Amino acid sequence: MVTEMREWFRDNNIPQADVASALNKSVSAVSRLVNGQRVIRLIDAKILHECFGVPYALMMPDNSVSEDSASSQPVPPLQEVA
């Protein structure tokens, strides 16, 4: 399966070894990320954006949150602290 993120890295000549080094992960872990087998963490998305210019929309195209990482309850609005 070729994902948009994998294509982006290929089109921009960025080796997975360089990505692995930036994320402090193994090449196999990066392979799972770019092939869509793992959900990317926000901190990793930020690093990829800052180091390589990967568009956030490419890493999180549907802005979804996995069910196991979010409550089904609505989030209350933020309140100012005096």
Side-chain angles (χ1 to χ4, degrees), residues 26-38:
S26 68
V27 173
S28 62
V30 169
S31 179
R32 289 189 297 271
L33 280 176
V34 300
N35 288 316
Q37 297 170 336
R38 297 280 183 215

Side-chain angles (χ1 to χ4, degrees), residues 1 7 10 13 15 19 28 31 34 41 44 51-52 56 58-59 63 77-78 80:
M1 174 178 160
E7 283 293 317
R10 184 181 296 156
N13 299 313
V19 176
S28 62
S31 179
V34 300
R41 297 180 319 151
D44 292 337
C51 290
F52 303 105
Y56 283 111
L58 185 67
M59 294 180 277
N63 295 320
L78 295 175
E80 280 191 39

Side-chain angles (χ1 to χ4, degrees), residues 9-79:
F9 281 113
R10 184 181 296 156
D11 292 347
N12 288 280
N13 299 313
I14 300 171
Q16 287 187 3
D18 291 356
V19 176
S21 178
L23 296 177
N24 196 28
K25 295 185 183 297
S26 68
V27 173
S28 62
V30 169
S31 179
R32 289 189 297 271
L33 280 176
V34 300
N35 288 316
Q37 297 170 336
R38 297 280 183 215
V39 175
I40 191 164
R41 297 180 319 151
L42 186 57
I43 188 66
D44 292 337
K46 182 178 184 215
I47 291 168
L48 292 178
H49 178 73
E50 291 175 353
C51 290
F52 303 105
V54 181
Y56 283 111
L58 185 67
M59 294 180 277
M60 301 175 183
D62 62 0
N63 295 320
S64 64
V65 178
S66 62
E67 289 181 25
D68 60 347
S69 66
S71 167
S72 60
Q73 300 297 318
V75 177
L78 295 175
Q79 297 178 3

